[in-house]
Each structure stands twice: as structure tokens, then as C-alpha cells.
Amino acid sequence: MSTTDGDQGTTWLSQEAYDRLQAELDEHIANRPAIAAEINARREEGDLRENGGYHAAREEQGKAEGRILYLKEFLRKAVVGEAPTSNKVAPGTVVTIQFDDDEDDSETFLLGSREIAATTDLTVYSPESALGKAILGAKKGDQVKYTAPNGAQIKVKIIKFEPFGG
């Protein structure tokens, strides 16, 4: 089975990674009443304009709600299992590249989301990063160029890639 261009945005997660993220989501949802109680307790302290505890509790609530929304959407779109094999670089692949035709300057990394980063010791680059965008769809032996955040033009060659094993 190979990936199609429509699969470029698919995030593949191992069952373990999916379960860990689902547990985090469940924990955030379970903490909602405690955060609401903290806000109410701080509100009763008086003048809200000068109540640092109240504002801190509201900020904490905002962060938690943002994370809940993010995790719900991320897990809704994620696919559990092994990424399909492909003849081109896609999200969920471990890629080895060589910089500027220098055989001694290479790097191996996972092309994937930051959520996967917690499940591996590999460096993880986002498919939306400059490097990620440049190598998406590339094949073994292809040379691509991308512009680094500092403005430098960097040329890389795809040495090899394989599906991420988790």
C-alpha cells in the first residue's frame, strides 16, 4: 500500500502514543471542575482588577481548554497503525539526508508531528518546516534546496528513508 498525495497530512501514531495522548486529554477534561472551582474561589477574594490569583487561574483555564481542543482534533485526524510504505518521503518516515554533497555531514530524523517526538529519541522535523516541505515527495537520491530560517539556501540529498517503527 502506498501513500497518495492526499495522505500527506495524515499523522500516524502507534497505539501506545495514541493511548498516551488520549489519557492526557481525559486528564485535562477531568481537571475542568477543579479549575472552575479555583476560579470561583479566587473571584470571591474581591476586586478582580488586582487579583493575581484569579487572573492566573483564568490563564490556566485558557491553556487547558486550548490543549483540550488541540488534542481532540489531533486524535480525531490521527491514524493508529504503521504508516504505509511509499516510494517517496512522507510524514511518518525516518529520513537520512546528506548536506551539500558532504558525505560526512548527514542527519537522520523523523518527519512527523511534535506529538510523536515524545515517543522517540530521534530528532523530529515537522512536514510544515522548511526542510519538511522541501523533502516531502522526494525519492532516494533526489537533491532538494530549501531556505533555512536564517535565510541561507541549503541543499540536501535524500540518502534513504523508511517507515517509522515507533
Side-chain angles (χ1 to χ4, degrees):
M1 184 165 128
S2 66
T3 59
T4 63
D5 289 341
D7 292 335
Q8 294 296 323
T10 302
T11 299
W12 293 87
L13 294 174
S14 66
Q15 186 65 52
E16 177 186 343
Y18 183 91
D19 292 345
R20 182 181 49 76
L21 293 171
Q22 183 64 52
E24 180 186 344
L25 173 60
D26 294 343
E27 184 178 330
H28 280 298
I29 291 171
N31 285 338
R32 279 176 162 165
I35 292 173
E38 177 71 15
I39 290 170
N40 285 334
R42 298 296 181 174
R43 183 180 293 128
E44 292 174 4
E45 291 176 359
D47 187 359
L48 296 181
R49 289 174 293 169
E50 297 181 15
N51 187 332
Y54 171 78
H55 294 290
R58 291 287 303 191
E59 186 175 327
E60 184 67 26
Q61 180 186 40
K63 287 179 183 177
E65 290 301 318
R67 185 69 177 158
I68 287 169
L69 289 173
Y70 174 80
L71 286 171
K72 279 183 175 180
E73 184 65 10
F74 183 81
L75 291 172
R76 185 182 69 77
K77 290 181 177 179
V79 178
V80 177
E82 289 187 25
T85 58
S86 175
N87 62 348
K88 60 186 178 182
V89 175
T93 54
V94 177
V95 183
T96 301
I97 58 172
Q98 176 181 304
F99 292 95
D100 295 319
D101 298 321
D102 182 354
E103 292 181 16
D104 295 327
D105 190 7
S106 65
E107 182 177 5
T108 299
F109 57 88
L110 172 62
L111 187 65
S113 73
R114 68 183 178 142
E115 301 303 334
I116 293 176
T119 68
T120 181
D121 291 332
L122 286 169
T123 299
V124 178
Y125 286 105
S126 167
E128 288 81 34
S129 68
L131 174 59
K133 286 178 183 177
I135 66 172
L136 268 178
K139 297 181 169 136
K140 182 178 177 178
D142 284 358
Q143 288 195 351
V144 297
K145 289 183 182 179
Y146 71 96
T147 303
N150 66 3
Q153 284 286 318
I154 300 174
K155 180 172 69 170
V156 298
K157 180 178 181 180
I158 308 299
I159 303 301
K160 67 177 182 175
F161 61 91
E162 61 191 14
F164 175 58

